[in-house]
């Protein structure tokens, strides 16, 4: 049964009351259901989708339901988080454990869940999004002192993994799923338009899956520098060069997999122009818009797909890739804020190019200095 707000205790949380109205407030804690635990949150990332929620969009509905929906009021934002289990309920083995949290739970019964596509489940319950909880006074999320999580979807951290790295497994999972969806295989050539955290995760996941060449495109110098640090074959600044020609010259032709994390009509056309015969284009940024498409652009068995979240099995895979060093998320983190400064953190993210931000972490309880748990 979904969690209800408690009335006996409160906690600090980043509450999105309505579009453009984000405040640090005291909100009632949430009662746990039988399948849930309570996490003392150590680190929570600000995701690009959090910015879309802040502006009134509902990207989960666009990707999963295929339609725009209004968000409910009073969402505690945050779905990229990790911390320590402080109330374990029916999961005593998790008590006091450092865990990464898979922030959504699917129904397990619909045709999508039974068919191995649980990421498309329309009855998903999602932390930090408001999806699947029904009508409530408040909706739980990770930008808070404490947050609920499903015990079966908590993964104990290896000793060398920090809370910050664990909080970013949600992003890595999205990248891993996209790379798998595109069929990236050893020897593949990959182009990624948009070098933000999702684009970087796709690039690194593709490298981990054997891609021999990875190209990233962006207009933001910080993102391009981080992409180069994380192993991109070539990081190209759009607007200063002919992107298509630069990639074709470096690759010796078109790419077998192309990813668009921007999702404009212009970037989609550029991506199609770089897609090799038999290749796959994955659009990561579904927007409500119309574009013209010439069927010749998808001839020769080119495929165009969208990507939605990730599969359950891809979360522990992502944990393994980060823990083993095959994917490095540490260079992503440019700014850290306490929970009390969450409004400033969002202002910084909204002015990222002016302030040099890439990934911002919120640390509600001291980050990796949570008592007894230290990453270094």
């Amino acid at each position: 049964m979904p969690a209800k707000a408690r009335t006996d205790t409160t906690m600090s949380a980043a509450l999105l009351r309505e579009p453009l109205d984000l405040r640090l407030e005291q909100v009632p804690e949430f009662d746990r259901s039988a399948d849930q635990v309570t996490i003392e949150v150590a680190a929570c990332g600000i995701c690009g989708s959090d910015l879309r929620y802040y502006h009134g969009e509902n990207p989960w509905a666009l990707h999963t339901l295929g339609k725009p929906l209004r968000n409910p009021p009073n969402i505690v934002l945050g779905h990229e988080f990790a911390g320590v289990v402080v109330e374990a309920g029916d999961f005593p083995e998790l008590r006091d454990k450092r865990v990464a949290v898979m922030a959504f739970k699917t129904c397990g019964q619909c045709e999508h869940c039974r068919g191995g596509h649980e990421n498309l489940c329309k009855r998903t319950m999602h932390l930090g999004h408001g999806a699947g909880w029904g009508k409530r006074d408040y909706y739980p999320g990770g930008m808070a002192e404490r947050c609920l999580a499903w015990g079966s979807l908590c993964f104990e951290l290896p000793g060398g993994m920090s809370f910050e790295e664990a909080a970013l497994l949600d992003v890595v999972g999205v990248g891993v799923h996209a790379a798998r969806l595109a069929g990236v295989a050893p020897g593949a050539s990959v182009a990624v338009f948009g070098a933000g955290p999702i684009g970087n995760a796709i690039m690194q996941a593709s490298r981990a899956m054997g891609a021999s060449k990875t190209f990233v495109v962006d207009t933001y110098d910080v993102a391009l520098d981080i992409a180069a640090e994380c192993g991109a074959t070539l990081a190209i600044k759009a607007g200063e060069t002919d992107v298509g020609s630069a990639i074709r010259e470096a690759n010796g032709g078109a790419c077998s997999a192309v990813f668009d994390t921007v999702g404009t009509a212009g970037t989609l056309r550029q991506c199609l122009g770089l897609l090799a015969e038999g290749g796959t284009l994955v659009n990561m940024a579904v927007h409500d818009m119309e574009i013209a498409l010439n069927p010749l652009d998808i001839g020769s068995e080119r495929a165009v797909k969208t990507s939605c979240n990730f599969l359950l099995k891809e979360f522990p895979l992502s944990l393994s890739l980060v823990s083993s060093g095959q994917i490095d998320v540490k260079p992503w983190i440019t700014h850290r804020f306490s929970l009390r400064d969450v409004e400033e953190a969002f202002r910084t993210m909204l002015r990222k190019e002016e302030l040099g931000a890439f990934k911002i972490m919120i640390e509600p309880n001291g980050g990796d200095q949570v008592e007894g748990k230290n990453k270094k």
Side-chain angles (χ1 to χ4, degrees):
M1 185 174 180
K4 298 179 180 179
R6 292 166 58 174
T7 58
D8 55 336
T9 57
T10 63
M11 62 180 179
S12 296
L15 190 68
L16 184 65
R17 294 160 56 96
E18 59 185 32
L20 306 179
D21 186 359
L22 176 70
R23 307 180 188 181
L24 181 66
E25 291 203 359
Q26 289 292 309
V27 303
E29 287 202 37
F30 294 88
D31 286 326
R32 287 183 293 104
S33 58
D35 61 345
Q36 293 171 333
V37 299
T38 299
I39 307 292
E40 183 177 278
V41 181
C44 184
I46 298 180
C47 178
S49 65
D50 290 320
L51 299 182
R52 293 174 71 179
Y53 284 105
Y54 174 80
H55 284 107
E57 284 190 76
N58 187 330
W60 178 84
L62 289 170
H63 281 261
T64 307
L65 305 180
K67 60 183 178 182
L69 288 181
R70 290 178 61 87
N71 296 309
N74 295 333
I75 297 174
V76 178
L77 288 178
H79 57 278
E80 302 174 358
F81 71 98
V84 175
V85 176
V86 292
E87 294 180 8
D90 292 344
F91 299 87
E93 70 279 6
L94 290 177
R95 175 75 189 188
D96 296 327
K97 299 295 186 182
R98 302 165 66 248
V99 295
V101 176
M102 185 167 160
F104 64 95
K105 180 178 182 291
T106 59
C107 76
Q109 300 174 346
C110 68
E111 62 177 336
H112 294 306
C113 288
R114 293 187 177 192
H117 300 285
E118 65 271 16
N119 57 318
L120 302 179
C121 174
K122 299 183 187 305
R123 297 201 292 269
T124 296
M125 298 174 68
H126 211 308
L127 296 167
H129 284 201
W133 297 94
K135 186 174 177 56
R136 307 214 159 262
D137 293 332
Y138 300 94
Y139 298 82
M143 291 184 196
E145 292 178 292
R146 290 170 293 282
C147 186
L148 302 174
W150 293 279
S152 62
L153 300 176
C154 290
F155 296 81
E156 187 174 354
L157 304 187
M161 181 177 285
S162 71
F163 287 121
E164 291 182 335
E165 291 173 288
L168 294 174
L169 291 177
D170 185 275
V171 186
V172 175
V174 171
V176 166
H177 179 70
R180 295 181 74 238
L181 191 66
V184 174
S189 56
V190 171
V192 184
F193 281 67
I198 294 294
N200 191 299
I202 293 170
M203 181 273 292
Q204 292 201 63
S206 296
R207 283 171 49 84
M209 294 175 190
S212 58
K213 294 181 181 178
T214 53
F215 308 99
V216 296
V217 181
D218 209 296
T219 60
Y220 184 30
D221 288 331
V222 170
L224 293 171
D225 290 343
I226 292 173
E229 182 179 352
C230 291
T233 304
L234 188 63
I236 304 168
K237 188 166 184 178
E240 293 189 354
T241 186
D242 182 330
V243 171
S245 297
I247 292 177
R248 284 178 176 274
E249 181 178 352
N251 190 46
C255 294
S256 50
V258 183
F259 302 86
D260 185 0
T261 76
V262 183
T264 67
T267 55
L268 282 169
R269 281 194 292 269
Q270 283 184 293
C271 289
L272 282 170
L274 275 169
L275 188 61
E277 293 89 342
T280 300
L281 162 62
V282 182
N283 177 22
M284 304 297 297
V286 175
H287 299 292
D288 186 9
M289 64 180 185
E290 294 185 5
I291 61 171
L293 176 65
N294 187 331
L296 287 175
D297 292 336
I298 55 174
S300 303
E301 295 195 345
R302 293 174 174 88
V304 178
K305 299 182 179 182
T306 61
S307 183
C308 177
N309 219 329
F310 51 85
L311 303 175
L312 172 58
K313 64 185 178 182
E314 290 166 340
F315 195 81
L317 171 59
S318 299
L319 190 154
S320 176
L321 289 171
V322 173
S323 177
S324 65
Q326 295 179 76
I327 293 180
D328 185 6
V329 298
K330 294 187 291 295
W332 297 0
I333 302 168
T334 55
H335 294 72
R336 297 172 176 85
F337 290 88
S338 66
L339 183 60
R340 66 177 176 270
D341 295 321
V342 68
E343 294 175 56
E344 181 184 352
F346 267 76
R347 286 192 294 269
T348 300
M349 200 68 220
L350 290 166
R351 299 165 55 202
K352 67 176 186 178
E353 296 200 16
E354 177 186 348
L355 299 174
F358 187 77
K359 172 59 73 172
I360 292 177
M361 300 300 297
I362 306 296
E363 300 180 339
N365 292 287
D368 284 284
Q369 303 302 320
V370 170
E371 184 177 356
K373 320 293 179 184
N374 195 321
K375 73 172 180 177
K376 294 181 180 179

